[in-house]
Amino acid sequence: MRYRNSLLLGSLALFSMLGLDAGKAQSSASAPARISGGHAEFTPTIQIPSTGNAGTQSPTDNLAFPLPMIPGFPGISIVAKSPAFVAHGSFFFPLSSSSRPEKTGDFILEGEVEYSIPQQKIFILFSHFRVGTSGNVFANFKLNGQEIGGNEIELLNAATGTSPATDKNKFTISAKELISTEFADAINKLFNATVLTPGQELATLSLVARVAQ
């Protein structure tokens, strides 16, 4: 698998950008009216070797989001486009300060992910990510420049029991993210095979939004 970032950040730059303390929110409450920034971190959990044969995957084979490695398709390229980036095994997306979660019910994520299989002439762009206040994940999905599923597709559903929390400084969502039926159907149709299974855990989400004062 060929993998690269469009933005390289060291650990110090990462924590500086996030500008957040390590404390956890203590109570559940409604979404904030405005935010001043923050981040959404997705840590992939699906384990599919790129060759389709057990025991042959490299350490980077599972570092894939929002689509995992696909058995039988070598040479997959995944590019996190700035300001999104990859660090410590996770995909990070800054939260846009233009988000109005109390009004719209979601957080706007900045950055895109390009997922391509050049040998098969398959080029997929995931853009305009957003996370609902309940933890569901949406994005625009283009295949070779053509939109799939209309303007937007629901990629992931937060597992049952997800409960956002807040304090005076931040709003947080911690969730196991499960593949949606809509996303699975679109990908399985594209590859004419069962690549994704609805309800399968794809990643964990840690979203931390700084509440605007």
Side-chain angles (χ1 to χ4, degrees):
M1 180 182 76
R2 180 169 64 86
Y3 177 82
R4 64 185 173 89
N5 272 308
S6 59
L7 180 64
L8 299 177
L9 294 178
S11 296
L12 291 177
L14 167 63
F15 289 110
S16 175
M17 185 204 77
L18 301 182
L20 300 166
D21 60 62
K24 293 182 179 292
Q26 299 298 314
S27 61
S28 60
S30 59
R34 297 171 53 249
I35 66 171
S36 60
H39 73 284
E41 174 188 358
F42 294 93
T43 303
T45 55
I46 259 188
Q47 296 186 352
I48 303 176
S50 59
T51 61
N53 298 317
T56 60
Q57 64 265 45
S58 72
T60 58
D61 276 344
N62 297 324
L63 189 61
F65 177 84
L67 186 61
M69 304 305 299
I70 300 173
F73 289 88
I76 291 174
S77 172
I78 302 171
V79 180
K81 301 182 68 176
S82 178
F85 63 94
V86 175
H88 311 298
S90 296
F91 286 71
F92 288 84
F93 296 81
L95 301 183
S96 172
S97 58
S98 66
S99 300
R100 298 293 182 267
E102 184 181 60
K103 180 179 180 180
T104 64
D106 59 27
F107 296 89
I108 299 169
L109 278 56
E110 298 179 335
E112 301 175 337
V113 176
E114 290 181 340
Y115 185 106
S116 61
I117 312 174
Q119 291 182 0
Q120 304 294 325
K121 297 183 179 179
I122 294 174
F123 301 91
I124 300 172
L125 177 67
F126 295 94
S127 63
H128 297 86
F129 286 90
R130 66 183 182 89
V131 175
T133 53
S134 62
N136 293 351
V137 181
F138 305 82
N140 283 24
F141 172 26
K142 289 186 178 181
L143 170 64
N144 296 342
Q146 299 296 315
E147 288 186 342
I148 304 298
N151 293 329
E152 183 181 75
I153 189 168
E154 185 173 22
L155 301 179
L156 305 168
N157 305 132
T160 301
T162 298
S163 180
T166 190
D167 62 21
K168 65 178 182 179
N169 296 316
K170 59 184 181 293
F171 179 93
T172 63
I173 302 173
S174 296
K176 293 181 178 180
E177 294 292 343
L178 314 180
I179 296 167
S180 75
T181 299
E182 183 181 10
F183 188 34
D185 287 348
I187 294 299
N188 294 344
K189 182 178 180 180
L190 169 63
F191 289 96
N192 194 30
T194 303
V195 175
L196 299 180
T197 302
Q200 183 179 13
E201 183 180 340
L202 178 72
T204 58
L205 165 67
S206 175
L207 182 147
V208 184
R210 295 192 300 271
V211 177
Q213 302 301 315

